[in-house]
Amino acid sequence: MSSYKEILDCLRTSFLSGKTRSEQFRISQLEALERFLEENKNTIIEALAKDLHKSTFESEVSELSMVRTEINFAINNLRSWMKDEYVDKNLATKLDSAFVRKDPYGVALIIAPWNYPIHLTLIPLIGAISAGNCVILKPSEISANSEKVIAELLPPYLDKDCFAVVSGGVPETTQLLELKFDYIFFTGSPNVGKIIMAAAAKHLTPLTLELGGKNPCFVDKGVNLSNTANRIVWSRFFNAGQTCVAPDYILCDTETRDQLVPALRDSVEKFFGKEPQKSPDFGRIVNDKNFQRLKAMLGSGKVVVGGETDENDKYIAPTVLVDVKETDPVMQEEIFGPILPVLTVENVEKAVEFINQHERPLALYAFSPDNKVVNHVLDRTSSGGFCGNDGMMHMTLISLPFGGIGNSGMGMYHGKYSFDTFSHFRACLLRNTGLESLNTLRYPPYSERNLGLLLQAIETKRRGFCSIQ
């Protein structure tokens, strides 16, 4: 097998040849990616079932459909995205052409996670292809069956001179990060994100970090308990809780907690039956390491729903905890599993205060019958994304950017935001070769008269009048 540097050099040669820049080439690769999904659909679904016990329904909704949507949206809009954007000019450049050119970065490295191994590998790839980049793709070795599908079945569909898939674990990723890429896109934990960022800094490589965190979910008094419980249970226990935007913990007052817990229990039973382990719709923990980590969290607070485990099956029941303290293990890191702690606060102000005392999350949720309360939480907090009166549904809109802030990441993608992320916005000014007399104002020897005229030609004046009393 070629060394990673040889692969990178080959891709960079292809990029510098201009091969990836045409609209026709980009469309052809996106269409090839769509064929990969369609022709290998059953194999992909089987791999996801082996890796995560993911149901066909969840695989279709959260993996295949979202990728297809991104491909179709990119193909439908690529021509307009690629066009130069002409900008306003000052008096000094009125006769010139000023525009923003969307240039590809070059060769991008995409490092994907294990929890949505198709979706979170291919959607960044769609953005990179759309923007005209070459790519080295590194799927996660933890979801081994999905990694094998991508490594063995995807490459024949894509141009081998422009795209490559690299398998392996930490040693292989470390070797890749020693090389100079033109862009890095990483999805994973904040701790690993710091390692990726440090490696990128050695080469001053721009990057996007899609990380995670503890996503708060405030539940106000007076909510429709059944509807609220359904939406929280669905979003928390989808993919067995192994979702970066899942609600990580609930904040509510004591009275609401006592009403909400039975509703949560009812929703769990309605969705997964009295024995969720037998449900075909409930997933499993990806490996023993994560199973043991999650099992240890069950000692926090008091179990009021679920709590059962089966090590051989890597099964942890949909679980709700109460009487949880801020210092308990379950509150020290992103849970990333089917455990939902409920913490009590006096009111929405105390909830906002609690949220703002912690790292800014990837997502934040607020349930209330009063839109003023939802908007209050929105106005007074900061997070990557926000959804009122539901969980995770903002992810279904590719018209919205997806990304974190602070400890939950930097940068954004989905839809056109993916194209923009993998594009360098190049400032361009094409000037007239004549009319030199207009340029004499800026040439030495300088004079007060020329300074005044030049400032008139290049300065922007304020419109109207604004007075702050």
Side-chain angles (χ1 to χ4, degrees):
M1 176 184 279
S2 302
S3 71
Y4 296 150
K5 186 177 186 308
E6 289 173 335
I7 296 172
L8 178 60
D9 289 344
C10 175
L11 267 58
R12 181 158 283 127
T13 298
S14 294
F15 174 75
L16 292 174
S17 75
K19 187 175 186 178
T20 63
R21 287 182 175 264
S22 72
E23 178 190 356
Q24 182 181 2
F25 176 84
R26 302 182 199 192
I27 295 288
S28 72
Q29 298 305 293
L30 292 171
E31 289 175 341
L33 192 56
E34 190 170 34
R35 287 197 303 274
F36 161 75
L37 285 180
E38 188 59 35
E39 293 172 9
N40 298 282
K41 176 179 174 179
N42 292 335
T43 304
I44 291 170
I45 289 173
E46 287 171 9
L48 292 167
K50 289 176 182 177
D51 287 331
L52 294 150
H53 196 262
K54 195 170 285 195
S55 67
T56 299
F57 185 96
E58 289 195 2
S59 294
E60 279 280 8
V61 169
S62 65
E63 303 270 11
L64 300 174
S65 174
M66 294 187 78
V67 177
R68 281 195 303 267
T69 295
E70 291 277 355
I71 292 172
N72 293 334
F73 189 73
I75 290 173
N76 291 344
N77 294 280
L78 187 57
R79 180 168 296 179
S80 64
W81 294 349
M82 291 176 63
K83 285 181 179 177
D84 292 339
E85 287 187 20
Y86 288 85
V87 299
D88 293 337
K89 294 170 287 187
N90 56 30
L91 187 60
T93 58
K94 274 293 180 187
L95 301 177
D96 305 319
S97 179
F99 57 90
V100 177
R101 169 69 53 86
K102 286 71 166 282
D103 269 354
Y105 275 104
V107 183
L109 172 64
I110 296 174
I111 304 173
W114 53 262
N115 57 323
Y116 290 87
I118 304 300
H119 167 167
L120 295 177
T121 303
L122 298 188
I123 290 182
L125 176 62
I126 293 165
I129 292 173
S130 299
N133 297 277
C134 293
V135 179
I136 290 182
L137 201 59
K138 170 61 184 68
S140 173
E141 76 285 1
I142 294 175
S143 46
N145 295 285
S146 299
E147 177 198 37
K148 186 177 180 181
V149 168
I150 292 170
E152 295 183 2
L153 300 183
L154 177 60
Y157 288 85
L158 301 176
D159 189 303
K160 63 181 178 57
D161 295 325
C162 301
F163 305 99
V165 178
V166 171
S167 300
V170 173
E172 290 77 13
T173 304
T174 302
Q175 290 176 46
L176 283 169
L177 289 170
E178 291 172 356
L179 303 174
K180 179 177 173 56
F181 287 89
D182 300 302
Y183 202 90
I184 296 175
F185 190 106
F186 169 78
T187 305
S189 70
N191 287 337
V192 179
K194 292 174 184 177
I195 297 171
I196 303 294
M197 192 169 183
K202 292 178 182 178
H203 300 292
L204 295 179
T205 300
L207 78 167
T208 291
L209 298 176
E210 295 293 343
L211 309 177
K214 297 188 72 64
N215 305 315
C217 178
F218 172 70
V219 180
D220 195 17
K221 59 187 176 184
V223 294
N224 182 306
L225 293 168
S226 177
N227 292 351
T228 300
N230 283 342
R231 296 175 189 189
I232 292 175
V233 166
W234 175 78
S235 53
R236 170 70 270 189
F237 300 122
F238 193 94
N239 197 32
Q242 297 164 119
T243 306
C244 58
V245 291
D248 195 89
Y249 61 93
I250 291 174
L251 294 170
C252 61
D253 63 32
T254 304
E255 182 181 354
T256 302
R257 178 200 64 186
D258 293 343
Q259 296 170 340
L260 182 62
V261 166
L264 293 171
R265 183 183 295 110
D266 290 345
S267 293
V268 169
E269 184 174 330
K270 181 166 52 179
F271 291 177
F272 306 114
K274 292 184 179 296
E275 298 180 69
Q277 189 171 6
K278 294 181 179 179
S279 170
D281 301 323
F282 187 71
R284 296 295 184 269
I285 307 308
V286 69
N287 58 19
D288 185 64
K289 178 182 177 182
N290 278 284
F291 174 85
Q292 297 299 338
R293 178 184 63 82
L294 290 163
K295 185 178 178 181
M297 291 184 182
L298 296 174
S300 299
K302 178 176 132 184
V303 174
V304 289
V305 177
E308 300 84 11
T309 66
D310 183 340
E311 186 171 347
N312 293 327
D313 193 25
K314 295 195 285 291
Y315 167 78
I316 294 180
T319 299
V320 178
L321 304 174
V322 298
D323 299 337
V324 174
K325 299 175 184 174
E326 189 179 351
T327 54
D328 283 340
V330 77
M331 293 302 294
Q332 302 312 303
E333 61 177 286
E334 183 179 6
I335 296 170
F336 224 66
I339 302 170
L340 181 61
V342 182
L343 286 78
T344 56
V345 290
E346 292 177 25
N347 50 45
V348 64
E349 288 296 343
K350 291 296 182 182
V352 166
E353 183 180 321
F354 184 94
I355 292 166
N356 288 337
Q357 286 172 350
H358 297 81
E359 296 282 7
R360 288 178 285 184
L362 185 57
L364 199 158
Y365 304 103
F367 288 79
S368 176
D370 187 347
N371 286 336
K372 290 181 180 178
V373 172
V374 173
N375 282 300
H376 181 71
V377 177
L378 174 59
D379 291 342
R380 293 284 305 283
T381 58
S382 176
S383 62
F386 181 92
C387 187
N389 292 313
D390 212 334
M392 302 202 307
M393 286 301 292
H394 61 296
M395 287 278 295
T396 65
L397 294 175
I398 59 174
S399 52
L400 288 175
F402 176 74
I405 180 171
N407 201 61
S408 59
M410 61 180 70
M412 55 189 174
Y413 71 125
H414 285 186
K416 185 177 183 293
Y417 300 100
S418 298
F419 175 88
D420 291 347
T421 284
F422 285 99
S423 298
H424 166 60
F425 281 53
R426 190 178 185 184
C428 303
L429 178 66
L430 307 183
R431 302 219 67 197
N432 193 301
T433 56
L435 303 173
E436 187 63 9
S437 60
L438 298 177
N439 292 317
T440 57
L441 295 176
R442 60 188 169 97
Y443 296 156
Y446 300 135
S447 70
E448 286 293 326
R449 175 183 174 278
N450 284 356
L451 175 62
L453 291 172
L454 182 62
L455 293 181
Q456 285 291 325
I458 64 174
E459 278 194 4
T460 298
K461 306 301 181 184
R462 230 178 7 183
R463 293 174 182 158
F465 178 76
C466 177
S467 177
I468 300 175
Q469 300 297 330

